[in-house]
Amino acid sequence: MTTIAITSEGPTLEDALDPRFGRAAGFIIADPDTMEYRYVDNGTAQAMAQAAGIQAAETVAGTGAKTVLTGYVGPKAFNALSAVGIQVAQNLENITVREAIERYRQGNLELADTPNWVGRGR
Amino acid sequence: MKIAIASGKGGTGKTTVSASLVHVWPRPVVAVDLDVEEPNLHLFLKPDINRTVPAYLEIPAANEDKCTRCRACADLCQFKAITVIADTLLLSPEMCHGCGGCLAVCPEGALTPSRRQLGDVSMGTVGERDFIMGRLRVGEAMSPPLMRVVKSYLDGLCDGRDVDIIIDAPPGVSCPAVSAVMDSDLIVLVTEPTPFGNYDLQLAYRAFSELGIPMTVVINRDGIGDDSVDVFCRRKNLPVLARIPYLEEIARGYANGRIVADTSAHLSQMFADMGGRLSELRAARGEVSNA
């Protein structure tokens, strides 16, 4: 069984995919074969002044997910995800979590080898 | 006397005031540029730089074989500069604030001191006056640690000498601005008489009030905007040290890289008066606090 994490603005499959990774509202942790899922809140990372991406990567790693579907991943978060072998599909926006999972199931997503967002945070 | 020239809003004239005060200062003085993210005091004072040294921050390096993933460092670090994710020790060197806590708590000796270059410190002279500045490395996000290094060189330079210090501080009211002004004797807040200038002046006043350091205001580009800055200063009993008129000759001088106090006799006199009033303010506050 594979588990994937989708950045989500809410706790259901019909919620919008949250294009932000580090500051996403939360993650839908789903099994794309059975469509079983659960929601993990990302409040801890959202509240951090900095390093939200690293915290979010830690949260995702803790769920056992091996792939993340999201919009924008900064370099530090990308580095953290890579370090623990989690793959990233990025550039997703204006779709629901369910649509993102469908695209994953169809193999219609490219896995990234570099982050697509250079953060300016400090 | 150590005077910090600061402002909530950027572009109000900190460097104009700093350079001119240094130029007319009647006593030995060190000019310090602590706006390390974008230092520009040297463009006006044109110092002869005789020494530039790199500045570093101590950060951890890891020996993965010795690390037992106990998380002592990860639990301590508030910046996620060192953490353990799914049995992987992950270092993000650019996030490290250099507190040394991880090195202290590691029970396995798996961490050793390494370093990250913050930028460099340049020292020199402007005629009889000393000059020192920090310049942040491009890509480096943390300026307060570099400012601490600049200040340590400043301490060395001033040791045992009767010398005044004029600091060109960074704008804003966050860590860099507070770091620059926190150990000064007097803070000069440069603002412009506009709603925007007034708003940021109020932010700076509120932030720096916590430090208990006397403050005074210089209104630059006097004649534009409204009277909101004056109203605020009266209400808070903040002395207005000087008003710099909104004049084309000042803008022209600045754009040509000239020290404004050096562009005309009356501007030179204006800054000399400003310096005199600063000394009086300092003396007056000193008596109050010593009483």
Side-chain angles (χ1 to χ4, degrees):
Chain A
M1 176 194 116
T2 38
T3 307
I4 62 175
I6 305 96
T7 48
S8 176
E9 291 183 0
T12 75
L13 296 181
E14 310 318 320
D15 281 299
L17 176 143
D18 195 327
R20 305 165 302 171
F21 176 71
R23 308 245 177 228
F27 305 99
I28 296 280
I29 310 301
D31 178 340
D33 298 325
T34 64
M35 290 305 266
E36 278 173 39
Y37 72 94
R38 65 193 170 95
Y39 179 71
V40 176
D41 186 76
N42 189 38
T44 324
Q46 271 197 322
M48 290 180 79
Q50 46 197 336
I54 298 172
Q55 176 62 57
E58 218 171 307
T59 302
V60 169
T63 68
K66 293 294 170 215
T67 304
V68 173
L69 314 186
T70 188
Y72 300 97
V73 181
K76 290 187 277 285
F78 195 93
N79 183 37
L81 290 168
S82 304
V84 296
I86 297 175
Q87 296 181 304
V88 179
Q90 56 196 3
N91 295 323
L92 298 172
E93 214 166 350
N94 299 320
I95 57 173
T96 64
V97 172
R98 186 185 294 279
E99 286 164 345
I101 299 174
E102 288 301 333
R103 285 175 63 171
Y104 175 82
R105 280 161 55 120
Q106 292 157 14
N108 192 14
L109 286 175
E110 219 171 288
L111 295 172
D113 49 17
T114 52
N116 60 357
W117 186 252
V118 177
R120 291 172 302 252
R122 56 161 158 191
Chain B
M1 173 162 69
K2 186 187 273 189
I3 303 165
I5 316 294
S7 75
K9 184 181 175 301
T12 55
K14 286 179 299 299
T15 303
T16 297
V17 170
S18 303
S20 288
L21 282 178
V22 168
H23 185 72
V24 301
W25 204 253
R27 285 171 28 84
V29 63
V30 186
V32 187
D33 197 345
L34 279 183
D35 188 3
V36 300
E37 289 180 61
E38 37 208 3
N40 63 346
L41 187 58
H42 64 290
L43 299 178
F44 298 91
L45 293 179
K46 302 178 176 65
D48 294 316
I49 300 294
N50 49 40
R51 195 174 162 217
T52 295
V53 291
Y56 297 99
L57 184 70
E58 186 184 272
I59 64 170
N63 181 336
E64 298 241 3
D65 296 336
K66 285 190 182 174
C67 175
T68 60
R69 314 299 192 259
C70 75
R71 293 194 61 92
C73 57
D75 292 341
L76 183 79
C77 184
Q78 300 300 299
F79 303 103
K80 297 273 166 194
I82 186 163
T83 190
V84 176
I85 302 182
D87 244 27
T88 300
L89 178 67
L90 183 77
L91 275 73
S92 303
E94 71 276 27
M95 302 294 288
C96 179
H97 285 54
C99 75
C102 56
L103 292 155
V105 300
C106 179
E108 311 297 337
L111 300 175
T112 50
S114 176
R115 65 188 190 178
R116 172 176 99 227
Q117 187 170 358
L118 297 164
D120 46 44
V121 181
S122 294
M123 288 151 276
T125 53
V126 183
E128 301 288 296
R129 301 157 208 282
D130 286 296
F131 175 88
I132 181 167
M133 70 182 272
R135 186 194 293 273
L136 202 65
R137 174 178 57 82
V138 173
E140 172 60 51
M142 285 168 217
S143 57
L146 174 58
M147 290 160 64
R148 286 194 285 277
V149 178
V150 177
K151 285 183 182 186
S152 69
Y153 280 103
L154 175 64
D155 288 345
L157 196 63
C158 298
D159 190 34
R161 290 168 62 195
D162 179 22
V163 61
D164 293 324
I165 296 163
I166 293 177
I167 294 171
D168 192 5
V173 293
S174 61
C175 291
V178 174
S179 301
V181 307
M182 63 190 295
D183 52 5
S184 56
D185 301 310
L186 190 58
I187 300 171
V188 176
L189 296 170
V190 185
T191 187
E192 56 185 30
T194 60
F196 191 176
N198 180 46
Y199 183 84
D200 284 359
L201 170 68
Q202 294 192 22
L203 290 183
Y205 175 80
R206 274 165 56 198
F208 300 156
S209 287
E210 301 285 322
L211 301 169
I213 300 168
M215 290 182 268
T216 178
V217 171
V218 168
I219 299 176
N220 191 13
R221 304 187 188 106
D222 188 41
I224 66 168
D226 58 24
D227 67 348
S228 57
V229 167
D230 277 295
V231 171
F232 176 73
C233 290
R234 274 200 300 275
R235 189 153 52 83
K236 295 295 180 186
N237 223 359
L238 253 177
V240 175
L241 179 74
R243 295 166 191 277
I244 304 173
Y246 184 53
L247 292 177
E248 186 179 314
E249 65 175 297
I250 293 177
R252 195 177 292 280
Y254 180 89
N256 284 319
R258 295 185 64 188
I259 297 167
V260 170
D262 194 31
T263 53
S264 74
H266 70 271
L267 288 172
S268 175
Q269 189 56 49
M270 186 185 72
F271 282 100
D273 293 346
M274 199 187 295
R277 286 200 61 198
L278 277 174
S279 302
E280 287 167 23
L281 266 179
R282 164 77 176 133
R285 299 291 178 134
E287 280 164 27
V288 172
S289 61
N290 293 337

PDB file of all heavy atoms in Angstrom, chain B residues 24 180 229 238:
ATOM      1  N   VAL B  24      30.435  67.243  10.890  1.00  0.00           N
ATOM      2  CA  VAL B  24      30.557  68.485  11.678  1.00  0.00           C
ATOM      3  C   VAL B  24      30.908  68.221  13.138  1.00  0.00           C
ATOM      4  O   VAL B  24      31.055  69.161  13.919  1.00  0.00           O
ATOM      5  CB  VAL B  24      29.234  69.301  11.643  1.00  0.00           C
ATOM      6  CG1 VAL B  24      28.866  69.651  10.195  1.00  0.00           C
ATOM      7  CG2 VAL B  24      28.089  68.557  12.323  1.00  0.00           C
ATOM      8  N   ALA B 180      20.742  47.300  16.699  1.00  0.00           N
ATOM      9  CA  ALA B 180      21.621  48.432  16.397  1.00  0.00           C
ATOM     10  C   ALA B 180      21.542  49.522  17.458  1.00  0.00           C
ATOM     11  O   ALA B 180      22.533  50.166  17.767  1.00  0.00           O
ATOM     12  CB  ALA B 180      21.269  49.014  15.030  1.00  0.00           C
ATOM     13  N   VAL B 229       3.178  64.418  12.621  1.00  0.00           N
ATOM     14  CA  VAL B 229       4.395  64.088  13.379  1.00  0.00           C
ATOM     15  C   VAL B 229       4.553  65.064  14.549  1.00  0.00           C
ATOM     16  O   VAL B 229       4.847  64.659  15.679  1.00  0.00           O
ATOM     17  CB  VAL B 229       5.646  64.124  12.474  1.00  0.00           C
ATOM     18  CG1 VAL B 229       6.922  64.113  13.305  1.00  0.00           C
ATOM     19  CG2 VAL B 229       5.638  62.932  11.516  1.00  0.00           C
ATOM     20  N   LEU B 238       8.192  64.191  23.018  1.00  0.00           N
ATOM     21  CA  LEU B 238       9.397  63.817  22.289  1.00  0.00           C
ATOM     22  C   LEU B 238      10.009  65.087  21.714  1.00  0.00           C
ATOM     23  O   LEU B 238       9.377  65.745  20.879  1.00  0.00           O
ATOM     24  CB  LEU B 238       9.005  62.915  21.114  1.00  0.00           C
ATOM     25  CG  LEU B 238       9.284  61.424  21.132  1.00  0.00           C
ATOM     26  CD1 LEU B 238       8.712  60.783  19.861  1.00  0.00           C
ATOM     27  CD2 LEU B 238      10.754  61.126  21.252  1.00  0.00           C
TER      28      LEU B 238
END
